[in-house]
Amino acid sequence: MKMVEIYDTTLRDGTQGEGVSLSSLDKIKIAQRLDKFGVTYIEGGWPGSNPKDMEFFKEIKRLHLKKAKIAAFGSTRRGKTNTKEDFNIKALLDSKTEVVTIFGKTWDLHVKDALRVSLEENLKMIYDSIAYIKSRGRYVIYDAEHYFDGFKANREYALRTLEAADEAGAEMLVLCETNGGTLPGEISEIIKTTKSVVPAKYGIHTHNDSGLGVANTVIAVELGCTHVQGTMNGFGERCGNADLCSIIPILQLKLGCRCVSDKNLRTLTELSHFISEVANVVPAKNVPFVGDSAFAHKGGIHVDAVMKNIKTYEHIEPELVGNRRRVLLSDLSGKSNIKYKTSEMGLELEMDPIQLKELAHDIKILEHKGYLYEDAEGSFELLVRKKQGTMKNFFDLEGFRLIIEKRQENEEPFSEATIKLKVNDVTEHTAAEGDGPVNALDNALRKALEKFYPNLKKMHLTDYKVRVLDGKEGTLAKVRVHIESSDKEQTWSTVGVSENIIEASWQALVDSINYHLIKDKQTKKKKKQ
Amino acid sequence: MKMVEIYDTTLRDGTQGEGVSLSSLDKIKIAQRLDKFGVTYIEGGWPGSNPKDMEFFKEIKRLHLKKAKIAAFGSTRRGKTNTKEDFNIKALLDSKTEVVTIFGKTWDLHVKDALRVSLEENLKMIYDSIAYIKSRGRYVIYDAEHYFDGFKANREYALRTLEAADEAGAEMLVLCETNGGTLPGEISEIIKTTKSVVPAKYGIHTHNDSGLGVANTVIAVELGCTHVQGTMNGFGERCGNADLCSIIPILQLKLGCRCVSDKNLRTLTELSHFISEVANVVPAKNVPFVGDSAFAHKGGIHVDAVMKNIKTYEHIEPELVGNRRRVLLSDLSGKSNIKYKTSEMGLELEMDPIQLKELAHDIKILEHKGYLYEDAEGSFELLVRKKQGTMKNFFDLEGFRLIIEKRQENEEPFSEATIKLKVNDVTEHTAAEGDGPVNALDNALRKALEKFYPNLKKMHLTDYKVRVLDGKEGTLAKVRVHIESSDKEQTWSTVGVSENIIEASWQALVDSINYHLIKDKQTKKKKKQ
């Protein structure tokens, strides 16, 4: 079995992505998870360019990772300086990592236009930097920046930069497709030639500017590269780095390579979502392997076929990467999808064919209004229960009023909600404040209901999302609110839609509480039996 | 120059994507734009599976497209039926399109498990369906579903299905990588063998389940396929179809093929955004070629190098696909980015080095709080003006109060805003209603200010977005509101952040109005000169 080293640069190259920003503490959290997952290297940062990365290197050393080696990243010494006194080289050594990754220039254009030194001086800069850091006992990886563009512009010079790095003792030569514009055919030809002229251990580092980041990496591994650099979720500058969440499963499940254990591979989806969450990036749904839609079936014919034999429309078993199959409710689908969905949720569907047809029709109309049940299974269950008559009415709203008042330009507004409702003919009229209008409303509703349903204290809202549905009318637009709630046992999602954000939030709040009350009642019933 | 036909299936396969839903009218709008862009074929729908698609075929015929041919999509006849009487074949002919695309089964597994007919019967179904539709004067394209999986499972049978289609007179044989699990190396080997055994005109149709949709298509074209099927923005079931927004620029700019005119290629980004908007899908930022981040530079070293020579970190000129270079403001960057940004905005930066340093520091703190200036250039300009002392104070808020009241469960709440403010020591105290709290506040603020600034009538809000920043605390979470506004001359964006959605919206609203008032003042000044 071919071993392939995974070199994760989410913490360095990944943070160059638009909207990605990680604190030192975030970086520590991610590094610990990457270690647990089993990557070989974690590139922690560029100490010469970003002084706050030093904090990370110091802290991570104390934590004694199990498997992963921490790498510090930096450029060669600058032109005409003494290597030992170069600021960047010093910072790399001061970060005290076991591994140092040095990047150097391959492309003559960059040497002339960006570095502004002679071609010969650049070769010396590469050689000196690697040799010196090696002499200080570090394991050195060499990143040949812009390797493929450099090769296309001046093949002989590009190869000489690799020779310089190899002679200086670099343990791994990494061919970097920095601008992301090289096609698979070129990648393949260039790697073959390079390996025949400069025999060494090779790695690959690609970017996704042409949508080819994953393909170019896979091709390089097929040609003998044993070290892969990339980022989780493909975070990175412009269109991102090669996405390790695609590359690792391809190498391991399709090419028979070994990157991490099969057991850990089953945690890939969770890891991907964890990293998105820490980075505060909404995970894309339609991404390969780990996306929520990656194994979601919508077309009726596909749902039908998958129910007969899953191989018909799935290239791997979703569980191998910790993902799951989903059947979507949508206006493209019909009664069979509702049946599949309810059975998947363990919900008994006590409904005659006419009711079922009506329900399918109702869902179509609601989806047309903007409700989305694909990720609001709580609200979906309540719809089914209402239709089949197994929904209990836990309270009746008599009304609520929200007041938001701002008295000075630099002061946060004050939010207060009053609510009046009835439970079994007992009226409750109460008020509460909150940090915002929805929070105040949530507080008031709970305050009114907890007297009757004390177990409500066990549940809390864990996520609140707002999506503007039709942006083109400004503040008049319709919004969809999506709420996630949990108690100790489970998590559920609900949805609300209105032109009024308070009304949309109210609908999702009420569904969330009703769902909890139903489940709570079922639990009590079971305990009694 | 090699001509490659673009076969767009956004309207059919694209709508299988999660969250993508198009009405007949939406489909017409998109088809007209695709025609203008210059694709060869537009697949309009599957008349046999979705009766509402008939409406589209009828309507589009009346519109006389300039270049694109409309294709109707459907399966071969069912097993053991008479071709002429087959429901699906009838529906295809009834749609009266010039082109009919028939898909048939290649994979013996599917023939047995999904169709449940004999292998020989499937060959007949392919032959009969194509031959009959040809005899009715249609141009027939044959989609060999699951071709690559079928080839791997039973090569001889897969090839025989192609032969059947070829003998029946199909004008183009399209090899479909339906499950998206095949690697570039396999694609390449299978296409070579196929072409040598069954010489014909070939097309390619791939999916993105392994992140290889674009690569597999590009490889197929390099091997001689002259017809490419895909969707705009890569919409489609699971991880989507091959993304034409990447494929077209690669073929045309990197492989020297001709798909559309160079002039039309320069409208690709606009087309991509238009289709996202009609489909009500938020465009992903980091997608190749057409994404907002595709040519966005964040790292200081990259910004520096790109300012020296754009080829250093860009694989193509963004203008070739109608996109643009952006320099991002972020905590990774510094004073040089602010300078670049202000000069890009045509804003004079009258600031001494100390002020500039302070501004960079302020931006870091605000971004840490959740403000994002990357796409809120209006708010950014106001920050710069405040720092350099060129910001005028147009009004002083004395206070506002918002009341949202709901009196019945099935009634939309009522929203009213009162506001008190001062302009040049004149107090204005007024009230307005709205369809939601933010709309009411917007209405009240304008009502109070229009008396003093009548040109405010010319501006209106065009987009309102809400992003929950830290989801894990439920309704207590911090939100970022992003508002886009325009008048006749220009469009600008502003941002607000708070735990209170009303406060965040207020900040963005006030910035938006202030920005307009400044621009309005400048225009008046110019006219006077």
Side-chain angles (χ1 to χ4, degrees), chain A residues 155-186:
Chain A
R155 164 185 308 215
E156 195 208 351
Y157 185 70
L159 289 165
R160 283 182 67 200
T161 63
L162 289 184
E163 276 166 352
D166 189 42
E167 281 164 18
E171 319 272 353
M172 178 69 68
L173 305 183
V174 182
L175 307 178
C176 300
E177 214 290 89
T178 309
N179 289 8
T182 306
L183 303 186
E186 297 172 304

Side-chain angles (χ1 to χ4, degrees), chain A residues 15-21 46 50 105 107 109-110 113-114 116 145-146 178-179 181 183 208-212 214-215 237-239 250 254-255 277 280 282 285-289 293-294 296-299 301-302 308-309 311-315 326 328 331-332 374 397-407 409 412-413 415 435-439 442 461-469 471-472 474-476 498-503 506, chain B residues 15-21 46 50 105 107 109-110 113-114 116 145-146 178-179 181 183 208-212 214-215 237-239 250 254-255 280 282 285-289 293-294 296-299 301-302 308-309 311-315 326 328 331-332 374 397-407 409 412-413 415 435-439 442 461-469 471-472 474-476 498-503 506:
Chain A
T15 60
Q16 305 274 331
E18 184 166 5
V20 176
S21 175
W46 182 347
N50 193 342
K105 296 288 183 193
W107 192 356
L109 169 92
H110 266 260
D113 282 7
R116 296 179 176 165
E145 203 195 17
H146 288 109
T178 309
N179 289 8
L183 303 186
N208 201 38
D209 296 76
S210 306
L212 300 167
V214 171
E237 186 136 38
R238 306 184 309 269
C239 306
I250 290 174
K254 291 174 189 276
L255 281 177
E277 195 168 301
N280 194 19
V282 180
K285 288 193 136 189
N286 63 348
V287 290
F289 299 98
S293 305
H297 303 282
K298 180 165 163 184
I301 199 173
H302 287 202
K308 285 173 186 157
N309 181 337
K311 271 175 73 185
T312 52
Y313 288 97
E314 286 177 1
H315 66 121
R326 289 166 59 227
L328 304 180
D331 63 354
L332 278 182
E374 285 170 6
L397 179 75
E398 305 263 292
F400 68 70
R401 183 190 292 135
L402 258 169
I403 296 177
I404 304 123
E405 200 168 329
K406 185 177 170 103
R407 279 287 149 226
E409 188 50 74
E412 286 277 320
S415 303
D435 277 322
V438 183
N439 186 237
D442 182 25
L461 305 191
T462 50
D463 200 2
Y464 173 76
K465 278 183 204 146
V466 182
R467 168 83 201 274
V468 176
L469 294 180
K472 286 293 124 184
T475 52
L476 248 171
S498 170
E499 277 176 5
N500 186 323
I501 192 167
I502 302 298
E503 169 66 16
W506 170 257
Chain B
T15 61
Q16 305 275 332
E18 183 165 6
V20 177
S21 175
W46 181 348
N50 194 341
K105 297 287 183 192
W107 192 355
L109 169 91
H110 266 259
D113 281 7
R116 296 181 176 164
E145 202 196 17
H146 288 109
T178 309
N179 288 8
L183 304 187
N208 202 37
D209 296 76
S210 306
L212 299 167
V214 172
E237 185 137 39
R238 306 183 311 267
C239 307
I250 290 174
K254 293 172 188 277
L255 281 178
N280 194 18
V282 180
K285 290 193 135 189
N286 62 349
V287 290
F289 299 98
S293 305
H297 303 281
K298 181 164 161 183
I301 199 172
H302 287 202
K308 285 173 186 155
N309 181 337
K311 271 175 71 186
T312 51
Y313 288 98
E314 286 177 2
H315 67 121
R326 290 166 60 224
L328 304 179
D331 64 355
L332 278 182
E374 284 170 8
L397 178 75
E398 305 261 293
F400 68 71
R401 182 191 292 134
L402 258 171
I403 295 176
I404 304 123
E405 201 168 328
K406 185 177 170 102
R407 279 289 149 225
E409 187 51 73
E412 286 276 319
S415 303
D435 277 323
V438 182
N439 186 237
D442 183 24
L461 305 191
T462 51
D463 199 3
Y464 173 76
K465 277 184 205 146
V466 182
R467 167 85 200 274
V468 176
L469 294 179
K472 285 293 122 186
T475 53
L476 247 171
S498 169
E499 276 175 6
N500 187 324
I501 192 167
I502 303 298
E503 168 66 17
W506 169 255

Side-chain angles (χ1 to χ4, degrees), chain A residues 159 178 322 362 482 529:
Chain A
L159 289 165
T178 309
D362 291 351
H482 180 270
Q529 280 167 355

Side-chain angles (χ1 to χ4, degrees), chain A residues 211-425:
Chain A
L212 300 167
V214 171
N216 286 344
T217 296
V218 169
I219 287 165
V221 172
E222 288 188 296
L223 290 171
C225 291
T226 55
H227 168 111
V228 166
Q229 299 191 349
T231 61
M232 287 293 160
N233 301 327
F235 288 165
E237 186 136 38
R238 306 184 309 269
C239 306
N241 287 56
D243 188 352
L244 290 175
C245 293
S246 292
I247 291 168
I248 295 172
I250 290 174
L251 297 185
Q252 193 138 330
L253 301 174
K254 291 174 189 276
L255 281 177
C257 303
R258 163 72 54 173
C259 312
V260 299
S261 73
D262 285 338
K263 195 180 148 217
N264 288 352
L265 187 58
R266 286 173 174 264
T267 65
L268 182 67
T269 300
E270 199 188 317
L271 175 67
S272 157
H273 289 189
F274 171 80
I275 289 175
S276 290
E277 195 168 301
V278 174
N280 194 19
V281 169
V282 180
K285 288 193 136 189
N286 63 348
V287 290
F289 299 98
V290 296
D292 266 1
S293 305
F295 302 93
H297 303 282
K298 180 165 163 184
I301 199 173
H302 287 202
V303 175
D304 213 52
V306 165
M307 280 166 93
K308 285 173 186 157
N309 181 337
I310 64 123
K311 271 175 73 185
T312 52
Y313 288 97
E314 286 177 1
H315 66 121
I316 62 158
E317 284 175 44
E319 295 75 20
L320 296 175
V321 291
N323 208 335
R324 64 189 184 102
R325 177 173 312 119
R326 289 166 59 227
V327 166
L328 304 180
L329 296 161
S330 88
D331 63 354
L332 278 182
S333 58
K335 290 173 281 179
S336 70
N337 289 32
I338 294 178
K339 276 188 190 164
Y340 183 96
K341 194 82 187 173
T342 47
S343 81
E344 191 195 52
M345 292 164 75
L347 185 66
E348 272 174 63
L349 196 67
E350 294 152 357
M351 220 177 253
D352 59 42
I354 295 167
Q355 281 180 318
L356 184 60
K357 209 176 151 187
E358 281 174 9
L359 179 62
H361 178 75
D362 291 351
I363 289 175
K364 268 188 201 180
I365 289 177
L366 287 163
E367 292 201 329
H368 184 73
K369 284 189 185 160
Y371 290 83
L372 196 69
Y373 294 98
E374 285 170 6
D375 53 0
E377 294 171 356
S379 292
F380 173 69
E381 181 166 337
L382 296 181
L383 272 185
V384 173
R385 287 182 177 278
K386 277 175 199 159
K387 182 56 70 184
Q388 66 189 15
T390 56
M391 179 68 198
K392 189 181 173 310
N393 186 22
F394 294 98
F395 68 93
D396 292 301
L397 179 75
E398 305 263 292
F400 68 70
R401 183 190 292 135
L402 258 169
I403 296 177
I404 304 123
E405 200 168 329
K406 185 177 170 103
R407 279 287 149 226
Q408 263 179 354
E409 188 50 74
N410 294 317
E411 201 177 67
E412 286 277 320
F414 161 88
S415 303
E416 185 200 59
T418 61
I419 194 162
K420 194 172 166 192
L421 50 77
K422 258 190 187 167
V423 178
N424 303 326
D425 289 327

